[in-house]
Each structure stands twice: as structure tokens, then as C-alpha cells.
Amino acid sequence: MCRDHRDLSEEHLNLINTNFKKLHGNYLNDVQRNILKRCYDDNLTYEELAQELDFTRPTINGYAAELWTLLSTLFKEDVSKTRLRGAVDRYIDSSPSETPRQNVKIFISDRTNNSNSDKVQQLQTAIQETGQETIIAENWLECSPEELAECIAFLAIVSSNSITESDILNQEIYKARKLRQNRPGKTLGIVLIHAESLLSLPLNHPLHQKLQGIPQLEWHSDTSLATLMAEIEHSLKYQQQQNRDALTDLIDNLLRLNISDNWMLTYVGENQLSQLGYLVRDLRNQRIQSGYAYWGVGPTLMWARACSDPTYHMSENLRQFPLYARNLARYVDHEQYNFVSLGVGEGSKDRNIIKDFFNRDENLKPRDDFLYIPVDMSLDMLRMAIGRIQELPSHRRIAIQRNIETQDGMRQIAHIAQILGEEKPILYGFIGNTIANVEVPEQVLGNIVQVMNTRDLLLFEAQIIDESALEGDWLEATIQSVREEYEGRSFRQFAFSALLQNSDLSIEPRERNLCYEVEVSLQTWQSSQILQIDCLFQNNTDRDIFLTFSDGDTMTLNFGDTISLYRSRKFTKAALENFIQAKNLTIVDTSTYLSYRNTGFMVMMLQRQTN
């Protein structure tokens, strides 16, 4: 072991000086940290330390052999830890470090209509002299995704002659803005440079709107190149810092608020009046889409009641979930990940996830910068979920009201989460059988996968049914059992709640029960068998039923007419696994339980495939 009874010889000091000065960049910091911490704090032998740092492979700037010799010599000589600490500190502090050059590019689009091509060349040369690679893009719109991924700035050069190029410039600016929006954390600077003469556009030209907020510089014959370069650099730095500074100020101000935990900080991403219009439109078409079944105060209250009813499967699921989900917590680094919950339900599962996946130990809260982002269409569902997470301060519980079933909605959710979460990896939660209740499961899961980064994880849960329960004589008994489950009083009240909240349906409770139907059918899905459950309102009375909706429109339901209230599914394990793998996801691990009814839940830890 490293011992303190012998001084470090001058020969060893020179050897340290020679070899540590040869290390460069980030690896120098790794060596310093590992030698000072691993050797001194953990009392490793030099040989163990060398093996851990993998000095036996000659890949570290060509000096692995010398470092191996150094560490071996120090090990044999039993040199002083204290003296070695001082030597390493002294020589590392005096050693120059080199930052590896990043593979990034600045794109220059010349839209001067060839009037100032020499200036464009001068600008490219000046930028390249700073060590930055530039590309003059004849058509930036045709650049490959690989090239665009390396782009850190887009400079558009224009002049009075650019009016003929305004349409293509309009498209380029739009694409640059879209690229910046879709890759949070990697800023794309956009600057418009007027060379010699100003670009003049008609007042109603669409490019005016695209250019709002974009820095515009003037480059005249008497403007030195150095001055222009300084202005460009200032503009790019300002754009890089603008969002981050605003976010920092916002969080600082939130910390100063002395308000109760009952307040909820929420990004509202849907126009609620428009959402009501969509719901009424669906009611006219005699159906309620899945997201609207939970939308509003009434459905939220009734869902919470259904989840506590032992005759409905969610009661057992809520009790079992912490027991089998925590088996997957080891895949989440609680010091790095934030948590985004997609479709929060009544929120008790999220509380368990935060406790089991993100607490540093059983008695501590998550780290100080941990961020919890619940997402749901229903503001009332979000309110209920947030209310269960009192362990976090309000600025670490930021809700998003948005429909997760749309591609744009999921992109915006991920964008907000990545920016607010300071680009830390995300654990997405898609639990509670939400996948079974959405309109198009394939599309919804595909939207989630598209926004996941390589380090992101997806905690995924769905209800499963044993394949044997769907075979032969067991099928009829299984269908009857499932029908009874969804005909229970509490779930029936939940299924009716959206219709009752958004119309003047005024029939007696006895008649309402007679008009509630549950259809359970065996369906082929993803080349496998699943059970599909449809909950319906059917006019089984002896008269026509007249409905008035919240916007004043009316509808007549004749005898036998139906309104689809709710749809769910129960998957076989094989169907679920095939579905997951077909969506470019890797199953990292699973945890499953089945009840006496041959149904249960399977929770998976998933990761996006990298190839």
C-alpha cells in the first residue's frame, strides 16, 4: 500500500514532471482526480490504480508505457503519499492543458446575388483564421442531417440585390429556427449581415416575421473585418446566453416566493376553449376520445374513486406497483436523471417512483436540482398529482398541460423538460396502463421514442393477461370476469363522468345503469391476441334522449344509438414485447405480477436503440 514513511526521490519528482506534462485536456483532470482520490482516500495500491486507469493500453497520447513504469516504480519504492500529493498538485497546476478541438461548423449562406462575393470570401477566411471551420452553403436546405448536427451558427449575407433571393432566404431562416427549436441545449446562432447595402423588402413580405428577434449587422466598406467579427461573436454569445439567463432569473425569483405548497407552476400548452370544442365535436360523432375521459373536475374525482375500489384492477395495481417497480431503480442514476411523468393519473405512483428511484437514501429527499415534470391533458389531474409530491419545493415540480398523443405535443414536452432540466438525462414514466387507453398506441409510443436521447430511459407499464386465459374454454370465463370488472359501480361512474360533465344528460340513475354497456372482444393486434374493452352509453329506454352540449348544440339519441365512453385493452406478454421491440426500443429489464384472475401488470425499463 501507499505509505508515508519514505520521501519521494528527486528522480521520481522528475519522472512525474515529465509524464504528467505530456497529458492533455480532460484526461489530465481524470488522472489528477483518480490519483488524489482513489489512491489516497481508498488506499489503493499503485498497481490497482494503474489497472483501473487502464494505463496498460498505449492509447493515451502515446505515454501509457511511461505512466505504467512510473506507477510501478512508486509502488515498489513505497513512496510518501503526502509528498506525491504535493508533487502531482504542483506539476499539474503548472502544466499547460489543451482543449480538444470540437468538430463544429459555421454555415454561411450568400444571398447577395453575387454582388459581394469577395466579402463573403473575406468573412470565411477571417472565421477560419480563428480555428473555426466554415462552410459556404449554396443551398443550406439540402445539407445532410450529419452536417446540420455540427452547425453552431448560421450567417446569412444579404444586400439590396437579395430581393430576388428572399423566398429561399425565408425558407433558410425558417429551417434554422426550427433546427434551433428541435435541439435544445445545443444553441444555433442566427445572424443576418447586410453587406454594403441593406436588404429592402415590401412591408407585407413574410420574411419580416421570420427575422423578428434575429440580430442584423451592417457591413460597410469602412467597417473593419475585426469590428465585424467582434459584432458577430457578441451576437452569437448573446443568443447562447439569452435563454439560460432568463431561466436562471426565473428560478431565482421562484425561490424568493414565500407561498404555500398548494400553488402549482404549470406550462399550459393547450387552448382550453379549443379543447372543449374538440370534445363537443367528438360527442356529435357519438364518441369520447381517451384523453377527454379524464378531462375536468368530474372525471378527475371519479377516477380517484375508481382507483380505490377493490373491484377494479387499479386498486390492486397501486398496492403492488412499488413492490415490483423498485426492482428497476438500479438502472437510474439518481444524481443525474430528472423525471417526466406522461399521463400522471392520481399521482401516487409518481410519489413512489421519486422515493424509490431518486432519493439518495430512505431518509433523504432527491438532490437539490432534481426536477419532476408531470404531464397530462387535465389540469385537475395535474393538481391532484402535484398535491401528492409535497417533498419537493414548488420550483422543482413544474407541470405541463399538454396532449401526449400528438407528435408536436410530445416534442414540445421534451423540449421544455430538457431546457428546464439543464440537459440532464430524463427518466420518462409511461405507466398505469396508459398505453392501453390511447387512441393509437403505435403512434403514441413512436412519438415518445422520437424525442428520447440515447441516455434517456422509459419506465413503461401495461396491463397483461395470461395467454392461457384467452384459449379454449377459458376465454368465455375470462371475458365475463373482465366485463364484471368494468361494470362495477365506481368505474361505471367514472366512465359516465365526461358525458355528464359536458352535456345535460338527465335520466334517472336506474335508467342510466340500464344504458351502460361493456363489450369485451378478442382482437388481433401486433400479430398477437389481446382483449379490447369498450364502455358505451346505449339508449335502452323506451323514448328518444335529447342532449344539449356545453356550446348549446343538441343531439337526439334514438333507441339503440350509442356513445363510446371509454376504450381499454389487456395485452398478452408476447404482444407487448413485440410491440416494444418494433418501436426501436431495447428492453433493459422487466418486473411482472399476475393476480388470481390471470391478469396483472408488467413494468419495463426501456432504452432507445442506438443503431
Side-chain angles (χ1 to χ4, degrees):
M1 295 292 180
C2 305
R3 299 183 178 90
D4 292 333
H5 67 272
R6 184 174 299 188
D7 285 339
L8 195 64
S9 69
E10 195 65 32
E11 179 183 356
H12 292 142
L13 291 177
N14 292 334
L15 190 55
I16 290 174
N17 185 22
T18 301
N19 286 281
F20 275 95
K21 280 188 175 180
K22 292 176 181 177
L23 291 176
H24 297 283
N26 293 332
Y27 195 83
L28 178 65
N29 298 328
D30 290 340
V31 172
Q32 180 185 30
R33 182 177 65 254
N34 278 282
I35 283 203
L36 296 181
K37 184 177 188 304
R38 300 287 294 153
C39 184
Y40 300 137
D41 297 344
D42 298 341
N43 206 27
L44 290 179
T45 66
Y46 289 109
E47 186 173 14
E48 289 169 345
L49 179 62
Q51 290 174 348
E52 181 164 328
L53 294 178
D54 206 8
F55 283 146
T56 55
R57 292 190 307 175
T59 56
I60 309 167
N61 298 324
Y63 296 108
E66 290 89 339
L67 286 170
W68 172 252
T69 301
L70 167 65
L71 293 171
S72 298
T73 302
L74 297 177
F75 169 67
K76 292 176 183 177
E77 292 292 331
D78 288 337
V79 298
S80 163
K81 289 193 298 183
T82 304
R83 192 71 184 277
L84 178 59
R85 182 198 302 266
V88 171
D89 281 343
R90 184 166 65 255
Y91 289 124
I92 286 182
D93 288 342
S94 64
S95 299
S97 62
E98 298 177 5
T99 302
R101 180 177 172 183
Q102 295 179 334
N103 188 24
V104 291
K105 298 181 175 68
I106 293 178
F107 283 69
I108 302 176
S109 176
D110 179 10
R111 295 301 165 195
T112 61
N113 200 15
N114 297 323
S115 62
N116 287 285
S117 58
D118 58 331
K119 282 188 170 293
V120 176
Q121 188 62 49
Q122 292 174 32
L123 179 60
Q124 182 184 33
T125 302
I127 296 176
Q128 289 176 340
E129 287 177 353
T130 67
Q132 182 63 65
E133 183 176 352
T134 62
I135 292 180
I136 297 180
E138 294 182 2
N139 191 347
W140 193 61
L141 300 173
E142 296 180 357
C143 292
S144 68
E146 292 75 18
E147 289 177 313
L148 294 178
E150 298 173 354
C151 178
I152 63 168
F154 173 68
L155 310 181
I157 317 298
V158 297
S159 70
S160 58
N161 297 325
S162 300
I163 185 63
T164 58
E165 303 280 331
S166 60
D167 289 340
I168 189 69
L169 181 60
N170 187 22
Q171 296 177 49
E172 289 182 334
I173 296 294
Y174 173 80
K175 182 170 184 177
R177 284 183 174 275
K178 199 72 174 176
L179 180 62
R180 179 165 61 187
Q181 177 183 349
N182 291 337
R183 59 171 197 181
K186 189 175 181 181
T187 303
L188 176 67
I190 308 173
V191 179
L192 190 74
I193 303 173
H194 299 265
E196 292 298 348
S197 56
L198 298 179
L199 169 63
S200 180
L201 298 170
L203 291 178
N204 61 347
H205 198 283
L207 188 55
H208 283 297
Q209 184 176 4
K210 294 288 192 307
L211 293 177
Q212 288 187 9
I214 293 178
Q216 300 188 41
L217 308 178
E218 295 185 27
W219 186 11
H220 300 292
S221 56
D222 57 349
T223 304
S224 69
L225 203 54
T227 300
L228 177 66
M229 289 290 293
E231 291 179 347
I232 292 174
E233 183 179 4
H234 175 75
S235 298
L236 296 179
K237 285 185 176 180
Y238 175 77
Q239 293 179 65
Q240 183 178 15
Q241 296 171 359
Q242 189 175 27
N243 289 338
R244 177 60 198 156
D245 290 344
L247 177 60
T248 301
D249 292 342
L250 173 62
I251 292 178
D252 288 343
N253 289 332
L254 290 174
L255 286 170
R256 294 167 53 200
L257 290 175
N258 186 20
I259 57 177
S260 72
D261 289 335
N262 292 326
W263 287 85
M264 180 174 71
L265 184 62
T266 308
Y267 277 81
V268 179
E270 310 276 4
N271 184 321
Q272 299 297 286
L273 293 177
S274 297
Q275 295 300 102
L276 180 59
Y278 299 147
L279 174 56
V280 171
R281 179 199 61 191
D282 284 345
L283 284 171
R284 292 194 195 99
N285 294 324
Q286 298 174 235
R287 65 191 297 265
I288 296 175
Q289 293 191 56
S290 61
Y292 294 104
Y294 301 87
W295 190 63
V297 177
T300 298
L301 175 62
M302 293 303 161
W303 176 248
R305 289 182 179 178
C307 289
S308 62
D309 184 350
T311 64
Y312 180 52
H313 65 255
M314 284 306 299
S315 174
E316 176 69 6
N317 176 239
L318 291 175
R319 188 180 70 83
Q320 294 278 1
F321 179 81
L323 304 178
Y324 65 89
R326 67 169 59 112
N327 295 330
L328 306 177
R330 65 183 183 275
Y331 297 104
V332 180
D333 183 349
H334 58 253
E335 296 293 342
Q336 292 292 325
Y337 281 75
N338 292 317
F339 179 37
V340 176
S341 178
L342 303 173
V344 294
E346 43 79 65
S348 59
K349 288 186 178 182
D350 284 2
R351 184 177 185 181
N352 290 323
I353 290 171
I354 292 173
K355 175 180 177 295
D356 293 333
F357 284 65
F358 295 100
N359 282 355
R360 289 171 173 169
D361 60 49
E362 293 183 357
N363 300 315
L364 293 178
K365 298 178 182 179
R367 67 182 192 275
D368 291 340
D369 64 345
F370 169 73
L371 188 63
Y372 166 56
I373 300 181
V375 182
D376 208 284
M377 267 186 62
S378 170
L379 284 169
D380 300 288
M381 285 286 184
L382 289 170
R383 163 64 69 187
M384 181 180 292
I386 286 284
R388 296 183 185 275
I389 315 295
Q390 296 296 319
E391 296 83 359
L392 297 173
S394 58
H395 71 284
R396 293 297 175 193
R397 298 173 293 157
I398 303 178
I400 298 178
Q401 186 280 322
R402 194 69 167 92
N403 186 356
I404 67 172
E405 297 190 40
T406 66
Q407 188 177 53
D408 285 345
M410 198 60 232
R411 285 177 178 172
Q412 292 166 3
I413 291 165
H415 176 73
I416 294 172
Q418 289 163 0
I419 292 296
L420 296 183
E422 299 179 331
E423 310 307 324
K424 288 183 170 62
I426 296 171
L427 172 67
Y428 288 98
F430 196 42
I431 56 179
N433 206 35
T434 305
I435 190 65
N437 306 325
V438 298
E439 296 297 313
V440 187
E442 301 90 332
Q443 175 181 318
V444 173
L445 186 59
N447 292 341
I448 296 173
V449 174
Q450 285 182 4
V451 302
M452 290 177 64
N453 294 325
T454 54
R455 293 184 62 198
D456 292 342
L457 295 170
L458 175 62
L459 187 66
F460 179 89
E461 184 188 28
Q463 191 177 27
I464 58 172
I465 186 166
D466 192 86
E467 291 185 11
S468 62
L470 305 180
E471 298 174 352
D473 297 337
W474 288 99
L475 178 59
E476 185 176 349
T478 299
I479 289 177
Q480 181 60 29
S481 176
V482 172
R483 183 180 293 115
E484 291 174 355
E485 178 184 359
Y486 283 84
E487 287 176 344
R489 181 174 180 271
S490 61
F491 188 85
R492 184 174 66 249
Q493 290 179 332
F494 162 69
F496 265 119
S497 60
L499 179 59
L500 292 173
Q501 179 174 266
N502 296 285
S503 73
D504 67 345
L505 179 66
S506 56
I507 60 176
E508 296 179 359
R510 182 185 62 83
E511 286 186 316
R512 192 187 307 162
N513 293 339
L514 291 175
C515 292
Y516 180 67
E517 300 284 344
V518 177
E519 296 180 355
V520 182
S521 58
L522 188 65
Q523 300 284 336
T524 300
W525 184 79
Q526 299 290 313
S527 303
S528 301
Q529 299 293 307
I530 65 169
L531 279 185
Q532 180 171 293
I533 303 99
D534 288 290
C535 302
L536 310 169
F537 174 82
Q538 181 171 304
N539 183 3
N540 293 328
T541 69
D542 57 0
R543 66 187 187 280
D544 292 342
I545 296 177
F546 300 96
L547 293 177
T548 301
F549 301 127
S550 53
D551 65 349
D553 277 4
T554 61
M555 184 176 73
T556 301
L557 288 178
N558 301 315
F559 177 78
D561 287 349
T562 62
I563 295 177
S564 176
L565 302 175
Y566 188 82
R567 170 171 287 181
S568 189
R569 305 167 180 89
K570 294 179 185 283
F571 306 95
T572 63
K573 186 177 179 181
L576 205 55
E577 290 177 343
N578 291 338
F579 170 54
I580 293 297
Q581 292 168 347
K583 289 300 175 184
N584 200 34
L585 287 164
T586 298
I587 300 176
V588 179
D589 202 353
T590 64
S591 188
T592 305
Y593 86 88
L594 289 172
S595 70
Y596 69 95
R597 294 180 177 179
N598 290 320
T599 64
F601 279 78
M602 180 162 66
V603 62
M604 303 178 176
M605 185 64 74
L606 308 176
Q607 191 168 26
R608 182 175 181 174
Q609 296 177 7
T610 56
N611 50 20

PDB file of all heavy atoms in Angstrom, residues 426-443:
ATOM      1  N   ILE A 426     -33.187  12.043 -18.911  1.00  0.00           N
ATOM      2  CA  ILE A 426     -34.569  12.013 -18.412  1.00  0.00           C
ATOM      3  C   ILE A 426     -35.031  10.571 -18.249  1.00  0.00           C
ATOM      4  O   ILE A 426     -34.819   9.728 -19.126  1.00  0.00           O
ATOM      5  CB  ILE A 426     -35.513  12.752 -19.376  1.00  0.00           C
ATOM      6  CG1 ILE A 426     -35.154  14.240 -19.450  1.00  0.00           C
ATOM      7  CG2 ILE A 426     -36.970  12.579 -18.975  1.00  0.00           C
ATOM      8  CD1 ILE A 426     -35.910  14.985 -20.536  1.00  0.00           C
ATOM      9  N   LEU A 427     -35.669  10.299 -17.127  1.00  0.00           N
ATOM     10  CA  LEU A 427     -36.467   9.089 -16.982  1.00  0.00           C
ATOM     11  C   LEU A 427     -37.903   9.476 -17.318  1.00  0.00           C
ATOM     12  O   LEU A 427     -38.540  10.234 -16.585  1.00  0.00           O
ATOM     13  CB  LEU A 427     -36.390   8.526 -15.567  1.00  0.00           C
ATOM     14  CG  LEU A 427     -37.365   7.363 -15.290  1.00  0.00           C
ATOM     15  CD1 LEU A 427     -36.976   6.131 -16.101  1.00  0.00           C
ATOM     16  CD2 LEU A 427     -37.440   7.033 -13.809  1.00  0.00           C
ATOM     17  N   TYR A 428     -38.397   8.983 -18.465  1.00  0.00           N
ATOM     18  CA  TYR A 428     -39.795   9.186 -18.804  1.00  0.00           C
ATOM     19  C   TYR A 428     -40.616   8.079 -18.152  1.00  0.00           C
ATOM     20  O   TYR A 428     -40.251   6.901 -18.212  1.00  0.00           O
ATOM     21  CB  TYR A 428     -40.002   9.137 -20.327  1.00  0.00           C
ATOM     22  CG  TYR A 428     -39.466  10.332 -21.067  1.00  0.00           C
ATOM     23  CD1 TYR A 428     -38.218  10.291 -21.685  1.00  0.00           C
ATOM     24  CD2 TYR A 428     -40.208  11.504 -21.169  1.00  0.00           C
ATOM     25  CE1 TYR A 428     -37.720  11.385 -22.380  1.00  0.00           C
ATOM     26  CE2 TYR A 428     -39.721  12.601 -21.869  1.00  0.00           C
ATOM     27  CZ  TYR A 428     -38.481  12.532 -22.462  1.00  0.00           C
ATOM     28  OH  TYR A 428     -37.993  13.624 -23.148  1.00  0.00           O
ATOM     29  N   GLY A 429     -41.724   8.447 -17.526  1.00  0.00           N
ATOM     30  CA  GLY A 429     -42.644   7.471 -16.973  1.00  0.00           C
ATOM     31  C   GLY A 429     -43.901   7.395 -17.822  1.00  0.00           C
ATOM     32  O   GLY A 429     -44.574   8.410 -18.028  1.00  0.00           O
ATOM     33  N   PHE A 430     -44.194   6.214 -18.327  1.00  0.00           N
ATOM     34  CA  PHE A 430     -45.422   5.987 -19.112  1.00  0.00           C
ATOM     35  C   PHE A 430     -46.083   4.763 -18.512  1.00  0.00           C
ATOM     36  O   PHE A 430     -45.934   3.650 -19.010  1.00  0.00           O
ATOM     37  CB  PHE A 430     -45.060   5.797 -20.584  1.00  0.00           C
ATOM     38  CG  PHE A 430     -46.229   5.931 -21.530  1.00  0.00           C
ATOM     39  CD1 PHE A 430     -47.168   6.928 -21.356  1.00  0.00           C
ATOM     40  CD2 PHE A 430     -46.378   5.073 -22.597  1.00  0.00           C
ATOM     41  CE1 PHE A 430     -48.241   7.069 -22.223  1.00  0.00           C
ATOM     42  CE2 PHE A 430     -47.434   5.198 -23.481  1.00  0.00           C
ATOM     43  CZ  PHE A 430     -48.371   6.201 -23.292  1.00  0.00           C
ATOM     44  N   ILE A 431     -46.771   4.974 -17.402  1.00  0.00           N
ATOM     45  CA  ILE A 431     -47.182   3.871 -16.538  1.00  0.00           C
ATOM     46  C   ILE A 431     -48.697   3.874 -16.354  1.00  0.00           C
ATOM     47  O   ILE A 431     -49.409   4.720 -16.890  1.00  0.00           O
ATOM     48  CB  ILE A 431     -46.463   3.961 -15.175  1.00  0.00           C
ATOM     49  CG1 ILE A 431     -46.725   5.315 -14.512  1.00  0.00           C
ATOM     50  CG2 ILE A 431     -44.974   3.727 -15.337  1.00  0.00           C
ATOM     51  CD1 ILE A 431     -46.086   5.477 -13.159  1.00  0.00           C
ATOM     52  N   GLY A 432     -49.179   2.885 -15.566  1.00  0.00           N
ATOM     53  CA  GLY A 432     -50.593   2.822 -15.237  1.00  0.00           C
ATOM     54  C   GLY A 432     -51.479   2.376 -16.378  1.00  0.00           C
ATOM     55  O   GLY A 432     -52.662   2.724 -16.420  1.00  0.00           O
ATOM     56  N   ASN A 433     -50.954   1.633 -17.338  1.00  0.00           N
ATOM     57  CA  ASN A 433     -51.722   1.122 -18.478  1.00  0.00           C
ATOM     58  C   ASN A 433     -52.211   2.230 -19.399  1.00  0.00           C
ATOM     59  O   ASN A 433     -53.185   2.064 -20.136  1.00  0.00           O
ATOM     60  CB  ASN A 433     -52.922   0.286 -18.005  1.00  0.00           C
ATOM     61  CG  ASN A 433     -53.355  -0.739 -19.034  1.00  0.00           C
ATOM     62  OD1 ASN A 433     -52.536  -1.304 -19.749  1.00  0.00           O
ATOM     63  ND2 ASN A 433     -54.655  -0.978 -19.120  1.00  0.00           N
ATOM     64  N   THR A 434     -51.537   3.390 -19.377  1.00  0.00           N
ATOM     65  CA  THR A 434     -51.935   4.497 -20.251  1.00  0.00           C
ATOM     66  C   THR A 434     -51.874   4.082 -21.714  1.00  0.00           C
ATOM     67  O   THR A 434     -52.716   4.496 -22.524  1.00  0.00           O
ATOM     68  CB  THR A 434     -51.031   5.716 -20.009  1.00  0.00           C
ATOM     69  OG1 THR A 434     -51.072   6.056 -18.617  1.00  0.00           O
ATOM     70  CG2 THR A 434     -51.483   6.911 -20.818  1.00  0.00           C
ATOM     71  N   ILE A 435     -50.897   3.265 -22.074  1.00  0.00           N
ATOM     72  CA  ILE A 435     -50.751   2.846 -23.470  1.00  0.00           C
ATOM     73  C   ILE A 435     -51.991   2.107 -23.959  1.00  0.00           C
ATOM     74  O   ILE A 435     -52.327   2.146 -25.144  1.00  0.00           O
ATOM     75  CB  ILE A 435     -49.484   1.965 -23.644  1.00  0.00           C
ATOM     76  CG1 ILE A 435     -49.185   1.716 -25.125  1.00  0.00           C
ATOM     77  CG2 ILE A 435     -49.637   0.647 -22.889  1.00  0.00           C
ATOM     78  CD1 ILE A 435     -48.827   2.947 -25.897  1.00  0.00           C
ATOM     79  N   ALA A 436     -52.713   1.459 -23.048  1.00  0.00           N
ATOM     80  CA  ALA A 436     -53.893   0.692 -23.444  1.00  0.00           C
ATOM     81  C   ALA A 436     -55.101   1.576 -23.684  1.00  0.00           C
ATOM     82  O   ALA A 436     -56.078   1.131 -24.301  1.00  0.00           O
ATOM     83  CB  ALA A 436     -54.222  -0.340 -22.367  1.00  0.00           C
ATOM     84  N   ASN A 437     -55.069   2.811 -23.213  1.00  0.00           N
ATOM     85  CA  ASN A 437     -56.240   3.681 -23.277  1.00  0.00           C
ATOM     86  C   ASN A 437     -56.161   4.739 -24.367  1.00  0.00           C
ATOM     87  O   ASN A 437     -57.156   5.421 -24.626  1.00  0.00           O
ATOM     88  CB  ASN A 437     -56.443   4.368 -21.924  1.00  0.00           C
ATOM     89  CG  ASN A 437     -56.511   3.372 -20.785  1.00  0.00           C
ATOM     90  OD1 ASN A 437     -57.031   2.273 -20.942  1.00  0.00           O
ATOM     91  ND2 ASN A 437     -55.965   3.743 -19.636  1.00  0.00           N
ATOM     92  N   VAL A 438     -54.979   4.932 -24.976  1.00  0.00           N
ATOM     93  CA  VAL A 438     -54.848   5.952 -26.016  1.00  0.00           C
ATOM     94  C   VAL A 438     -55.491   5.468 -27.301  1.00  0.00           C
ATOM     95  O   VAL A 438     -55.745   4.273 -27.494  1.00  0.00           O
ATOM     96  CB  VAL A 438     -53.364   6.311 -26.249  1.00  0.00           C
ATOM     97  CG1 VAL A 438     -52.746   6.886 -24.983  1.00  0.00           C
ATOM     98  CG2 VAL A 438     -52.569   5.089 -26.721  1.00  0.00           C
ATOM     99  N   GLU A 439     -55.746   6.396 -28.202  1.00  0.00           N
ATOM    100  CA  GLU A 439     -56.440   6.048 -29.445  1.00  0.00           C
ATOM    101  C   GLU A 439     -55.600   5.149 -30.341  1.00  0.00           C
ATOM    102  O   GLU A 439     -56.064   4.137 -30.843  1.00  0.00           O
ATOM    103  CB  GLU A 439     -56.827   7.331 -30.189  1.00  0.00           C
ATOM    104  CG  GLU A 439     -57.819   8.205 -29.455  1.00  0.00           C
ATOM    105  CD  GLU A 439     -59.160   7.531 -29.252  1.00  0.00           C
ATOM    106  OE1 GLU A 439     -59.692   6.955 -30.220  1.00  0.00           O
ATOM    107  OE2 GLU A 439     -59.671   7.570 -28.117  1.00  0.00           O
ATOM    108  N   VAL A 440     -54.323   5.548 -30.555  1.00  0.00           N
ATOM    109  CA  VAL A 440     -53.446   4.777 -31.455  1.00  0.00           C
ATOM    110  C   VAL A 440     -52.149   4.488 -30.704  1.00  0.00           C
ATOM    111  O   VAL A 440     -51.217   5.309 -30.721  1.00  0.00           O
ATOM    112  CB  VAL A 440     -53.152   5.555 -32.759  1.00  0.00           C
ATOM    113  CG1 VAL A 440     -52.384   4.671 -33.736  1.00  0.00           C
ATOM    114  CG2 VAL A 440     -54.446   6.064 -33.395  1.00  0.00           C
ATOM    115  N   PRO A 441     -52.033   3.352 -30.008  1.00  0.00           N
ATOM    116  CA  PRO A 441     -50.839   3.068 -29.200  1.00  0.00           C
ATOM    117  C   PRO A 441     -49.545   3.125 -29.997  1.00  0.00           C
ATOM    118  O   PRO A 441     -48.520   3.616 -29.496  1.00  0.00           O
ATOM    119  CB  PRO A 441     -51.104   1.646 -28.681  1.00  0.00           C
ATOM    120  CG  PRO A 441     -52.595   1.500 -28.703  1.00  0.00           C
ATOM    121  CD  PRO A 441     -53.050   2.289 -29.885  1.00  0.00           C
ATOM    122  N   GLU A 442     -49.546   2.640 -31.245  1.00  0.00           N
ATOM    123  CA  GLU A 442     -48.334   2.626 -32.043  1.00  0.00           C
ATOM    124  C   GLU A 442     -47.805   4.035 -32.277  1.00  0.00           C
ATOM    125  O   GLU A 442     -46.604   4.299 -32.183  1.00  0.00           O
ATOM    126  CB  GLU A 442     -48.587   1.940 -33.400  1.00  0.00           C
ATOM    127  CG  GLU A 442     -49.071   0.501 -33.299  1.00  0.00           C
ATOM    128  CD  GLU A 442     -50.592   0.383 -33.237  1.00  0.00           C
ATOM    129  OE1 GLU A 442     -51.243   1.338 -32.739  1.00  0.00           O
ATOM    130  OE2 GLU A 442     -51.111  -0.650 -33.668  1.00  0.00           O
ATOM    131  N   GLN A 443     -48.708   4.952 -32.570  1.00  0.00           N
ATOM    132  CA  GLN A 443     -48.303   6.331 -32.841  1.00  0.00           C
ATOM    133  C   GLN A 443     -47.804   7.009 -31.566  1.00  0.00           C
ATOM    134  O   GLN A 443     -46.788   7.720 -31.580  1.00  0.00           O
ATOM    135  CB  GLN A 443     -49.490   7.105 -33.411  1.00  0.00           C
ATOM    136  CG  GLN A 443     -49.233   8.590 -33.629  1.00  0.00           C
ATOM    137  CD  GLN A 443     -50.462   9.297 -34.164  1.00  0.00           C
ATOM    138  OE1 GLN A 443     -51.151   8.787 -35.025  1.00  0.00           O
ATOM    139  NE2 GLN A 443     -50.741  10.478 -33.636  1.00  0.00           N
TER     140      GLN A 443
END
